[in-house]
């Protein structure tokens, strides 16, 4: 009898313990569901008028987001740290806002997405995110989305009308190289539009300074060179780069093959404009420029460089400008071309080049150079 009573008490204790554990589980699960419901019903990022609401957002995110690449970074409003019901709701809203923005932008920014083209309202939301966000990974995703959409001609006008040019240009002040590169790519795509070029010219000096001072051969430098190349396709804004031509020759001499080709595209735009000829001839060039012809350089690089020299030679009126030829410095491009014998020795050193087209181009260049510089000797 006593043994049966003990078994009964043990059984009752187990049942009571199991029931208590189940109640605790249900209570914990219920709180988690409530938090998720509040997150799904969080406030929108824009008001009914399509304007960005509130002050600059810190893109607060929660530390229990398993998909976040920045899991160790947790930002909450100060009042959310207080252990109150209001603080819990604030944390949920902040977490929902960050997760919703990040996932939406990353989905739109995906190159494999079937819905890459954004509507004007969606573009406005992305621009609002760029303007209000401070987190690099949010800015990167938003700028990728803008860059993809700026590749479409009809979106370039829309982004400009939404005030997107100064919003993206402001990102150029960031120290994050990845974010800066994405901003330059967006501006590069937008600069194909003529009206956009006129509005972007105010940022050319900043882009030029950032490009020549960036780490050599970096993605930021290449993105800056591409933007400057697009901005100088027409003659309207080329004069703004007159004082930086020597820096471009320096980048050409020191850079890798990709940097050399991009610099040559930019210089070729300038060389096609007769108004830029004197600025090109006045530019200081590194002494290593001549040694380019002494080694097995990439054929495309040699051909583009020769085309630049030919354009400068054709655009400059040697006989008319003879009285002013002494105004060019000793290390200038003019002096490099003027020293005919030295230049000839360096060019003739590439006669063994395997590419026939290179030999033909060199022969034409040397003939034109001799005709313009020494017209009397040709009689």
């Amino acid at each position: 009898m006593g043994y049966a009573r003990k078994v009964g008490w043990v059984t009752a204790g187990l049942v009571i313990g199991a029931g208590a554990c189940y109640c605790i589980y249900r209570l914990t699960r219920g709180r988690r569901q409530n938090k998720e419901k509040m997150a799904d019903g969080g406030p929108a990022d824009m008001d009914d008028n399509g304007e960005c609401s509130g002050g600059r957002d810190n893109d607060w995110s929660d530390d229990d987001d398993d998909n976040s690449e920045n899991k160790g970074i947790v930002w909450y409003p100060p009042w959310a740290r207080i252990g109150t019901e209001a603080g819990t709701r604030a944390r949920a809203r902040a977490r929902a806002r960050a997760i919703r923005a990040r996932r939406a932008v990353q989905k739109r920014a995906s190159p494999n997405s079937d819905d890459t083209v954004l509507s004007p309202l969606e573009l406005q939301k992305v621009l609002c995110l760029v303007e209000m966000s401070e987190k690099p990974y949010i800015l990167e995703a938003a700028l990728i989305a803008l860059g993809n959409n700026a590749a479409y001609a009809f979106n370039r006008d829309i982004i400009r009308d939404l005030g997107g040019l100064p919003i993206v240009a402001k990102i150029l002040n960031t120290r994050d190289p990845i974010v800066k590169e994405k901003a330059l790519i967006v501006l590069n795509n937008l600069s194909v539009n003529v009206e956009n070029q006129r509005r972007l010219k105010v940022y050319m000096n900043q882009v030029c300074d950032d490009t020549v001072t960036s780490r050599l051969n970096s993605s930021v430098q290449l993105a800056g060179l591409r933007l400057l190349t697009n901005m100088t396709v027409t003659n309207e804004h080329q004069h703004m780069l007159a004082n930086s031509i020597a820096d471009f020759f320096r980048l050409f001499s020191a850079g890798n093959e990709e940097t050399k080709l991009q610099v040559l595209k930019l210089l070729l735009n300038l060389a096609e404009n007769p108004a830029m000829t004197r600025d090109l001839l006045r530019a200081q060039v590194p002494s290593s420029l001549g040694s380019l012809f002494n080694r097995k350089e990439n054929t495309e690089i040699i051909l583009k460089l020769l085309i630049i020299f030919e354009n400068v030679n054709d655009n400059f009126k040697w006989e008319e400008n003879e009285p002013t030829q002494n105004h060019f410095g000793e290390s200038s491009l003019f002096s490099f071309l003027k020293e005919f014998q030295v230049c000839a020795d360096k060019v003739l050193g590439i006669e063994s080049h395997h590419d026939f087209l290179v030999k033909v181009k060199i022969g034409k260049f040397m003939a034109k150079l001799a005709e313009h510089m020494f017209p009397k000797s040709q009689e």
Side-chain angles (χ1 to χ4, degrees):
M1 189 69 179
Y3 177 76
R5 184 175 296 177
K6 288 182 179 180
V7 172
W9 283 112
V10 171
T11 302
L14 291 174
V15 172
I16 294 172
C21 292
Y22 179 74
C23 290
I24 294 174
Y25 163 75
R26 291 287 299 176
L27 180 61
T28 305
R29 187 170 181 267
R31 288 181 178 177
R32 186 178 303 167
Q33 289 177 342
N34 289 336
K35 184 176 180 181
E36 291 175 356
K37 289 180 181 179
M38 286 189 294
D40 294 336
D45 292 329
M46 302 182 65
D47 56 24
D48 296 336
N49 297 325
E51 300 294 337
C52 300
S53 58
R56 189 170 183 85
D57 185 22
N58 284 327
D59 300 317
W60 299 315
S61 59
D62 205 349
D63 54 352
D64 56 354
D65 181 15
D66 296 334
N67 296 324
S68 174
E69 297 179 358
N70 297 271
K71 189 174 180 181
I73 303 176
V74 183
W75 293 92
Y76 293 111
W79 58 87
R81 300 185 183 277
I82 304 174
T84 61
E85 185 177 354
T88 302
R89 288 198 299 268
R91 289 170 63 92
R93 287 195 298 269
R95 175 178 178 270
R97 181 168 58 252
I99 293 175
R100 187 166 58 251
R102 180 167 63 252
R103 289 177 179 173
V105 172
Q106 288 175 345
K107 180 180 178 181
R108 294 292 188 182
S110 174
N112 300 323
S113 175
D114 296 331
D115 192 16
T116 307
V117 182
L118 304 182
S119 67
L121 181 59
E122 291 172 323
L123 285 172
Q124 189 172 20
K125 291 181 179 180
V126 176
L127 286 171
C128 182
L129 188 62
V130 172
E131 184 177 18
M132 306 299 289
S133 178
E134 293 180 344
K135 291 299 183 62
Y137 62 93
I138 295 289
L139 287 172
E140 180 185 356
L143 290 170
I144 290 175
L146 282 178
N148 290 341
N149 281 268
Y152 298 95
F154 57 86
N155 272 338
R156 294 171 191 142
D157 293 329
I158 295 175
I159 294 175
R160 181 187 68 243
D161 295 338
L162 292 173
L165 299 184
I167 291 176
V168 177
K170 189 176 181 180
I171 305 299
L172 297 178
N173 297 322
T174 183
R175 295 183 179 179
D176 190 302
I178 297 177
V179 174
K180 179 177 286 190
E181 178 199 359
K182 298 301 183 292
L184 288 168
I185 292 174
V186 176
L187 295 177
N188 182 48
N189 291 344
L190 292 173
S191 67
V192 179
N193 184 289
V194 176
E195 180 60 29
N196 287 346
Q197 277 197 7
R198 293 174 182 171
R199 302 196 183 191
L200 289 174
K201 68 179 182 179
V202 297
Y203 307 107
M204 283 187 65
N205 289 334
Q206 178 183 356
V207 173
C208 187
D209 292 341
D210 290 345
T211 300
V212 298
T213 58
S214 295
R215 184 170 57 85
L216 185 64
N217 304 324
S218 64
S219 299
V220 173
Q221 189 171 80
L222 288 171
L225 287 171
R226 294 188 186 100
L227 174 56
L228 294 174
T229 302
N230 265 356
M231 292 292 293
T232 55
V233 170
T234 61
N235 299 343
E236 188 174 355
H237 312 302
Q238 291 182 356
H239 65 279
M240 301 181 67
L241 302 182
N243 295 329
S244 302
I245 296 176
D247 294 321
F248 296 141
F249 274 111
R250 177 180 56 81
L251 291 181
F252 170 77
S253 180
N256 59 17
E257 185 173 302
E258 188 175 8
T259 300
K260 279 183 168 65
L261 287 172
Q262 196 58 53
V263 171
L264 287 175
K265 292 178 182 179
L266 173 57
L267 292 175
L268 186 58
N269 288 345
L270 303 181
E272 291 175 348
N273 182 9
M276 295 295 297
T277 302
R278 293 186 62 84
D279 293 311
L280 285 164
L281 289 171
R282 189 182 297 113
Q284 301 293 304
V285 297
S287 57
S288 57
L289 182 64
S291 62
L292 174 72
F293 298 99
N294 288 333
R295 58 179 183 270
K296 299 294 183 180
E297 188 61 72
N298 180 291
T299 300
E300 184 179 3
I301 293 177
I302 296 176
L303 292 177
K304 286 185 180 295
L305 184 61
L306 287 172
I307 292 174
I308 292 173
F309 288 167
E310 287 180 1
N311 288 342
V312 172
N313 186 41
D314 292 341
N315 292 333
F316 188 69
K317 308 301 181 181
W318 293 92
E319 294 182 359
E320 297 177 6
N321 292 279
E322 187 174 359
T324 63
Q325 291 181 13
N326 294 329
H327 296 169
F328 298 104
E330 294 182 359
S331 301
S332 64
L333 180 62
F334 175 85
S335 298
F336 176 83
L337 296 177
K338 188 67 174 178
E339 296 176 1
F340 177 79
Q341 189 61 43
V342 176
C343 188
D345 291 341
K346 295 183 182 300
V347 174
L348 291 175
I350 205 173
E351 280 295 323
S352 59
H353 199 279
H354 65 279
D355 195 295
F356 177 75
L357 183 58
V358 172
K359 297 179 181 180
V360 172
K361 282 286 186 181
I362 292 174
K364 290 183 178 180
F365 168 68
M366 296 307 299
K368 286 184 178 181
L369 197 62
E371 179 182 357
H372 289 167
M373 287 187 173
F374 304 98
K376 296 181 180 180
S377 62
Q378 304 298 321
E379 297 178 354

